[in-house]
């Protein structure tokens, strides 16, 4: 079983690209026939940029890169040559996704509550459908049947919980009927079916070229099975992102679902492998520095599972003071009193960094409100950041216009909404209809 690891703290895409070039860079034909599966389309873009950086813009034939579709808003990008036979076994139903799916589920919810004493407006039903879609995706990705919802007992809970359970009847009974009526399928089971078909096909007919799965934690059972198959292929390789090889057996047994190493540990168990079977990626040594070794030892201690936290008492013996100082060098903590000051401090750091020639800086945050605040502060200095999360439709002029229009229609042309509506640029004649 070919399992590799790129340690946390290293530039994953650059390290992966450098390793692939080490293996196949002098074999252009093999490199072009290599297939790399990544978690998402964003990962594909990052790896393409990494190849360009490693070759310094020189012309080269890139390997094929495909998405596993782990983002619930993505479909798996698979090879037509490999999937052609397997796809015949797949459902012929068309997947339904995005806004069409949410609007359809909203209509199903409204038809379900019609005639019942459940006061629910269209906007509330639309918001509820978003939550139901998330629940649907979670259940289907984990291969959990809808019958599991019927086994829930809310008799001892408040009436609100019981009412919510009744609304789940929409998911368990009415939504499947709607999909069957229109010959549609949800994105998660469609993606699972494609991955399962290709997994089965490669068991029967292994490909005769390098296949690499990289950056995925196998969070979905279908992708975990697919990666296990790749690891067993003659020319298959699985490259894990940031697995901690220093975890002891006690650490692994103490891992819970909220720990960053839990998913990787679960995936390795699914493979039937152990930490001893995992090798360092071939380009790892090109990126590791003494400072990285210090940081790796420090964060191994910091991220220790709560079940083995008593080992912190002996951390000073395992982590010398000099190594600790090196691990923390460059780390700064800013205690901001307000969210605005927090965003302003971050924006100032970004502005200072960009004053240096050829300097890049990245802000990593799960807080989209903070990201938007920082972006607003940067725009004051004409700095336009590249936001990898994109811009929500509701923040675009078109989205604002459509939202105001829907508010007017929902409130039966209540005059208070017209003020904001007529201020939008799309109410002016100089904007052609096609701009919306």
């Amino acid at each position: 079983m070919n399992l590799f690891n790129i340690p946390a703290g290293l530039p994953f895409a650059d390290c992966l690209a450098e390793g692939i070039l080490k293996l196949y860079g002098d074999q252009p034909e093999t490199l072009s026939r290599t297939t790399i599966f990544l978690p998402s389309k964003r990962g594909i873009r990052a790896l393409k940029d990494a190849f360009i950086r490693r070759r310094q813009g020189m012309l080269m034939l890139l390997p094929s890169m495909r998405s596993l579709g782990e983002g619930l808003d993505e479909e798996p990008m698979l090879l037509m040559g490999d999937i052609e036979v397997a796809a015949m076994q797949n459902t012929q139903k068309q997947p339904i996704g995005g806004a069409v799916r949410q609007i359809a589920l909203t209509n199903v919810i409204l038809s379900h509550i019609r005639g019942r004493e459940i006061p629910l407006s269209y906007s509330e039903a639309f918001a509820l459908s978003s939550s139901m879609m998330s629940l649907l995706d979670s259940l289907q990705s984990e291969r959990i049947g809808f019958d599991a919802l019927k086994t829930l007992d809310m008799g001892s809970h408040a009436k609100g919980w019981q009412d919510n359970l009744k609304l789940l009847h929409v998911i368990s009974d009415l939504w499947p009927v709607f999909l069957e009526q229109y010959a549609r399928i949800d994105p998660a089971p469609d993606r699972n079916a494609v991955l399962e078909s290709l997994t089965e096909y490669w068991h029967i007919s292994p490909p005769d070229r390098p296949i690499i799965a990289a950056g995925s934690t196998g969070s979905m059972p279908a992708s975990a099975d697919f990666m296990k198959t790749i690891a067993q292929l003659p020319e298959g390789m699985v490259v894990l992102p940031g697995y901690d090889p220093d975890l002891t057996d006690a650490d692994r047994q103490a891992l819970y679902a909220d720990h960053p190493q839990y998913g990787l540990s679960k995936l390795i168990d699914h493979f039937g492998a152990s930490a001893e079977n995992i090798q360092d990626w071939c380009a790892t040594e090109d990126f590791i520095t003494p400072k990285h070794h210090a940081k790796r030892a420090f964060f191994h201690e910091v991220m220790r599972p709560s079940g083995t936290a008593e080992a912190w008492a002996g951390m000073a013996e395992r982590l010398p003071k000099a190594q600790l100082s090196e691990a923390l060098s460059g780390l700064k903590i800013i205690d901001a009193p307000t969210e605005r000051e927090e965003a302003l401090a971050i924006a100032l750091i970004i502005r200072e960094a960009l004053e240096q020639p050829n300097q890049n800086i990245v802000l990593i945050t799960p807080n989209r409100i903070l990201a938007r605040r920082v972006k607003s502060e940067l725009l004051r200095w004409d700095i336009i950041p590249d936001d990898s999360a994109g811009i929500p439709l509701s923040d675009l002029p078109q989205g604002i216009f459509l939202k105001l229009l829907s508010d007017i229609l929902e409130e039966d042309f209540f005059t208070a909404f017209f003020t904001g509506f007529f201020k939008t640029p799309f109410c002016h004649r100089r904007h052609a209809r096609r701009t919306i």
Side-chain angles (χ1 to χ4, degrees), residues 42 58 82 167 244 259 303 336 349 351-352 361 416 421:
R42 185 184 300 181
M58 293 175 58
D82 285 325
L167 279 174
D244 185 357
H259 194 279
M303 301 304 296
I349 293 171
R351 179 184 178 182
E352 182 181 14
I361 185 168
F421 178 74

Side-chain angles (χ1 to χ4, degrees), residues 83-158:
I83 199 63
E84 185 175 356
V85 176
M88 298 302 294
Q89 307 168 17
N90 193 16
T91 176
Q92 297 301 312
K93 297 178 181 178
Q94 290 293 320
I96 181 173
V100 174
R101 183 187 184 206
Q102 187 169 2
I103 292 171
L105 185 54
T106 301
N107 290 332
V108 172
I109 293 171
L110 291 173
S111 64
H112 170 66
I113 66 173
R114 190 172 293 122
R116 303 169 185 260
E117 294 182 359
I118 304 178
L120 207 63
S121 66
Y122 187 90
S123 59
E124 291 171 333
F126 191 77
L128 177 62
S129 67
S130 178
S131 300
M132 285 190 172
M133 284 167 53
S134 298
L135 177 61
L136 271 171
D137 291 333
S138 298
L139 290 172
Q140 293 167 339
S141 294
E142 295 294 331
R143 297 170 174 166
I144 299 174
F146 293 143
D147 291 340
L149 297 175
K150 299 178 181 179
T151 62
L152 295 175
D153 183 11
M154 294 293 176
S156 60
H157 290 70

Side-chain angles (χ1 to χ4, degrees), residues 132-436:
M132 285 190 172
M133 284 167 53
S134 298
L135 177 61
L136 271 171
D137 291 333
S138 298
L139 290 172
Q140 293 167 339
S141 294
E142 295 294 331
R143 297 170 174 166
I144 299 174
F146 293 143
D147 291 340
L149 297 175
K150 299 178 181 179
T151 62
L152 295 175
D153 183 11
M154 294 293 176
S156 60
H157 290 70
K159 185 176 182 299
W161 287 87
Q162 298 176 30
D163 291 340
N164 289 338
L165 183 60
K166 292 177 183 177
L167 279 174
L168 291 182
H169 170 69
V170 172
I171 290 180
S172 60
D173 296 334
L174 302 183
W175 182 243
V177 172
F178 172 86
L179 294 177
E180 190 66 31
Q181 180 181 355
Y182 291 96
R184 294 300 186 100
I185 186 172
D186 282 316
D190 179 66
R191 176 196 54 214
N192 288 348
V194 173
L195 291 175
E196 289 163 2
S197 298
L198 187 53
T199 300
E200 183 180 348
Y201 181 62
W202 275 353
H203 270 302
I204 301 170
S205 179
D208 58 351
R209 64 182 187 282
I211 305 291
I212 302 172
S216 173
T217 60
S219 56
M220 303 179 305
S223 62
D225 292 341
F226 183 60
M227 291 169 67
K228 182 178 181 180
T229 298
I230 291 177
Q232 295 171 339
L233 293 175
E235 296 187 74
M237 288 176 278
V238 172
V239 185
L240 302 175
Y243 177 69
D244 185 357
D246 298 326
L247 288 174
T248 63
D249 290 338
D251 291 332
R252 281 187 283 271
Q253 291 172 7
L255 292 173
Y256 289 97
D258 59 350
H259 194 279
Q261 292 293 321
Y262 176 81
L264 289 169
S265 181
K266 184 179 176 182
L267 180 66
I268 293 167
D269 291 341
H270 180 73
F271 287 169
S274 63
E276 290 73 25
N277 303 125
I278 303 173
Q279 312 168 52
D280 280 337
W281 182 238
C282 56
T284 299
E285 291 301 323
D286 297 341
F287 291 85
I288 282 186
T289 63
K291 186 173 182 178
H292 177 268
H293 285 298
K295 284 190 172 183
R296 172 173 160 176
F298 172 71
F299 280 105
H300 169 74
E301 295 291 344
V302 170
M303 301 304 296
R304 183 179 290 278
S306 58
T308 61
E310 69 277 0
W312 281 338
M315 187 171 70
E317 300 173 4
R318 295 187 298 273
L319 200 63
K321 189 174 181 179
Q323 193 177 23
L324 179 61
S325 298
E326 186 169 11
L328 295 177
S329 64
L331 178 66
K332 297 179 181 178
I333 298 177
I334 300 175
D335 187 9
T338 65
E339 293 182 356
R340 183 184 180 281
E341 291 182 39
E342 179 186 18
L344 182 58
I346 295 171
L348 285 169
I349 293 171
I350 294 174
R351 179 184 178 182
E352 182 181 14
L354 293 179
E355 289 177 354
Q356 307 299 322
N358 301 320
Q359 180 70 32
N360 292 326
I361 185 168
V362 178
L363 170 63
I364 301 174
T365 175
N367 188 340
R368 291 304 307 160
I369 296 176
L370 175 62
R372 286 197 289 269
R373 284 178 177 271
V374 173
K375 188 174 180 180
S376 298
E377 297 291 348
L378 290 173
L379 291 175
R380 292 167 52 193
W381 304 307
D382 295 327
I383 298 174
I384 303 175
D386 180 11
D387 190 347
S388 60
I391 303 174
L393 175 62
S394 58
D395 291 348
L396 291 172
Q398 295 90 335
I400 295 171
F401 173 79
L402 293 174
K403 184 179 184 304
L404 289 169
L405 180 59
S406 64
D407 288 340
I408 290 173
L409 295 174
E410 184 178 3
E411 297 298 331
D412 197 19
F413 293 89
F414 184 56
T415 54
F417 289 98
F418 281 95
T419 305
F421 178 74
F422 286 129
K423 286 182 179 179
T424 61
F426 297 107
C427 287
H428 298 271
R429 292 182 59 186
R430 56 191 174 89
H431 285 271
R433 183 180 301 175
R434 59 183 174 81
T435 60
I436 305 178

